[in-house]
Amino acid sequence: MRTGSGGRNGTSGGWRAEAAWLGCCLALVFVLGTAAGCGTRLPASAFTGQATAGDGGGAGSAYVEGVSATTIKVGMIDSISSPLGANAFSGPGYGAQAYFDALNAAGGVDGRKVVVDQCDDAGGGLGNIQCVHQLIDSDQVFAFAGNSIFDYAGASYVSAKDVPDIGGEPIDQAYDQYPHLYSIYGSDEPRDGTVGFDGTLYSSTEIYAYFKQKLGAHVAAVVEYNQPDSINYGQMEAAGLRAEGYTVVTEQLDFALPDFAAAAADMKAHGVQVVFDAIDTTGNGALCTALDQAGVNLIAKVTTPQSWDQTVPTTYANAPKCRNVLYATSDELSYEDTQYPVIAAFRAAMAKYFPSRAPDLSMWELDGWASAQWLTDALRSCGSSDVTRKCVEAYMNGPQLYDGHGLLIPTSFTVAKPGATTRACLNLARWQDSADGGHGGWVTQVANMDTNCFTVPVLAFKASGSG
């Protein structure tokens, strides 16, 4: 949850992290029902197709907490070979590696090159535990960056070993629980071993406020499956919408045989203007097709940051009307907006080090870049003679807000239980086929994300598994 004018303090983790996790979870259920697998350590050369930035050998190569006179070892765990395919979780790793490659080309951190040891946990808890032990116990990494983990089963060990994990994607609730884990969203939670505030998470309703105040929406649909995780998330969305004064229509679909046409017809009958969902990406494509075929004239179809990517023309190929009112929200600049120096640097590094990623570019790559940048800024705060985990975490836990050089809505890890209302800000983009010379792209909808703010209610909900 973001607090303060322009602030973003992430029990934000709240609903946006739940949304990312939900989409992955539902898709995995479609594929296998569960994720499993063993971890595989991947050297940077295997991931990038390039040589690593140095192997830590030679003079001054003795490591203390992953730091030598010439190098800093950074671990990275991404669920690349999960049943969802290589693109589902790999984005943050590419973005973080691109940042470190550019950093090393510019001389590293006070002369030290960053050596990345990446491990693919295959999307399973056992694989994750193996990756964690390999990177901490064997590889002796200093910290983690660019993590994108479906099942962070090894999180308690990372925290017990006092290894900072900076800017990870909060796909499950580990980043709401452990003190040495720092989500890309920031956090105002205590992270003292329990999730949130004694099992309670909080979220604000600025997303719903935007569509009501800026686009005039007042009738919303929430589409969910008859599956527990989908129902829980759908209920949270519905509660947020009602708190903002919407009339809410709930469409519950059979998980195995969803009748999208019937749901679309019902939404048309109820005059639905904006659609939120608790379903997977494939389901969203089918839902939009049904909405177009039923002639539902939407103001907006809202998706999550995970779906803010270049695959929209394929996913929504048969739904041109719905596709062109597709909105996504975030707490950072869009990867399309290269007029900002930090985005221009990100795009240049991705084009240089990962040119083949252009068709798959996403906001998650940008999250990975922000993660690596955040760790680097923390390292630089220590100076060349005091590069320790204690120093890095002092920076992360400090009172200052962090904006990622203009990339992020300012955030911190200062603990503060939210009140009844908060001032919260966000960025939004809309997909338009006419953008980018007719190739299609995401068009930012706000002039300044730091001032696109709303005073909104704060809602409490129980963390998954907390009763």
Side-chain angles (χ1 to χ4, degrees):
M1 191 202 74
R2 289 150 303 283
T3 58
S5 179
R8 133 183 139 147
N9 279 341
T11 0
S12 72
W15 288 358
R16 297 193 189 187
E18 288 276 346
W21 173 83
L22 173 75
C24 296
C25 176
L26 291 173
L28 277 169
V29 171
F30 271 127
V31 177
L32 285 181
T34 186
C38 298
T40 302
R41 180 180 176 279
L42 299 174
S45 57
F47 187 60
T48 66
Q50 301 176 41
T52 61
D55 61 7
S61 63
Y63 283 99
V64 177
E65 293 185 343
V67 179
S68 77
T70 57
T71 58
I72 301 170
K73 275 193 175 184
V74 173
M76 192 182 297
I77 303 175
D78 298 292
S79 303
I80 299 170
S81 58
S82 80
L84 291 181
N87 281 331
F89 295 96
S90 62
Y94 283 109
Q97 184 65 61
Y99 181 88
F100 288 133
D101 285 346
L103 176 70
N104 288 334
V109 182
D110 293 323
R112 290 184 174 98
K113 296 295 181 72
V114 174
V115 178
V116 175
D117 284 353
Q118 189 187 41
C119 191
D120 172 12
D121 69 5
L126 176 60
N128 182 257
I129 291 171
Q130 291 175 339
C131 280
V132 163
H133 280 279
Q134 190 164 7
L135 292 172
I136 293 175
D137 300 338
S138 299
D139 296 351
Q140 297 183 317
V141 299
F142 173 81
F144 289 97
N147 279 356
S148 178
I149 300 166
F150 178 71
D151 182 358
Y152 206 164
S156 61
Y157 189 76
V158 173
S159 195
K161 289 295 184 178
D162 300 336
V163 180
D165 174 352
I166 310 299
E169 289 289 355
I171 298 166
D172 67 9
Q173 291 177 340
Y175 290 92
D176 297 312
Q177 184 172 359
Y178 296 107
H180 300 287
L181 276 58
Y182 301 89
S183 157
I184 191 64
Y185 292 117
S187 178
D188 53 14
E189 302 164 354
R191 298 172 13 258
D192 55 5
T194 61
V195 176
F197 291 88
D198 294 323
T200 299
L201 297 171
Y202 296 87
S203 188
S204 45
T205 61
E206 65 275 11
I207 294 174
Y208 313 122
Y210 175 89
F211 290 100
K212 182 179 74 171
Q213 295 182 30
K214 301 297 185 180
L215 301 187
H218 57 90
V219 181
V222 174
V223 182
E224 64 190 28
Y225 290 128
N226 61 346
Q227 188 267 352
D229 295 311
S230 182
I231 291 170
N232 289 340
Y233 184 69
Q235 289 175 342
M236 288 189 286
E237 287 187 307
L241 286 161
R242 291 189 181 102
E244 285 294 334
Y246 284 82
T247 298
V248 179
V249 178
T250 300
E251 303 289 348
Q252 190 172 109
L253 305 173
D254 184 87
F255 189 46
L257 295 170
D259 190 343
F260 294 106
D266 190 59
M267 282 187 266
K268 183 176 182 179
H270 282 91
V272 167
Q273 300 163 305
V274 57
V275 176
F276 296 83
D277 70 86
I279 64 177
D280 61 307
T281 301
T282 300
N284 268 299
L287 173 63
C288 266
T289 297
L291 290 167
D292 270 20
Q293 292 174 347
V296 181
N297 294 313
L298 295 177
I299 295 173
K301 168 66 185 75
V302 187
T303 187
T304 65
Q306 191 191 25
S307 297
W308 187 334
D309 61 24
Q310 292 299 105
T311 68
V312 169
T314 301
T315 303
Y316 300 90
N318 298 317
K321 286 177 60 181
C322 185
R323 183 174 68 237
N324 280 280
V325 293
L326 193 67
Y327 285 78
T329 66
S330 77
D331 297 327
E332 63 195 311
L333 296 174
S334 170
Y335 67 79
E336 300 269 23
D337 290 341
T338 54
Q339 70 269 28
Y340 298 103
V342 67
I343 299 299
F346 163 72
R347 294 296 295 266
M350 289 297 294
K352 179 176 181 179
Y353 298 110
F354 301 107
S356 65
R357 291 293 298 173
D360 299 305
L361 199 63
S362 72
M363 291 293 280
W364 273 28
E365 267 103 346
L366 187 56
D367 278 354
W369 175 277
S371 168
Q373 178 179 253
W374 208 339
L375 173 57
T376 300
D377 287 339
L379 287 165
R380 283 178 168 151
S381 76
C382 302
S384 61
S385 61
D386 187 32
V387 180
T388 63
R389 291 170 179 162
K390 182 177 180 180
C391 174
V392 164
E393 296 212 59
Y395 179 88
M396 297 301 297
N397 292 320
Q400 75 281 354
L401 293 174
Y402 182 77
D403 72 353
H405 306 269
L407 175 59
L408 309 174
I409 293 176
T411 190
S412 76
F413 292 90
T414 301
V415 177
K417 192 170 184 177
T421 63
T422 189
R423 181 74 172 166
C425 314
L426 74 159
N427 197 17
L428 294 96
R430 175 184 174 183
W431 180 270
Q432 293 183 244
D433 287 346
S434 59
D436 192 21
H439 296 289
W442 291 96
V443 180
T444 301
Q445 300 297 293
V446 301
N448 186 337
M449 66 182 183
D450 292 318
T451 59
N452 183 46
C453 307
F454 304 85
T455 299
V456 292
V458 173
L459 305 181
F461 60 98
K462 285 294 183 182
S464 300
S466 63

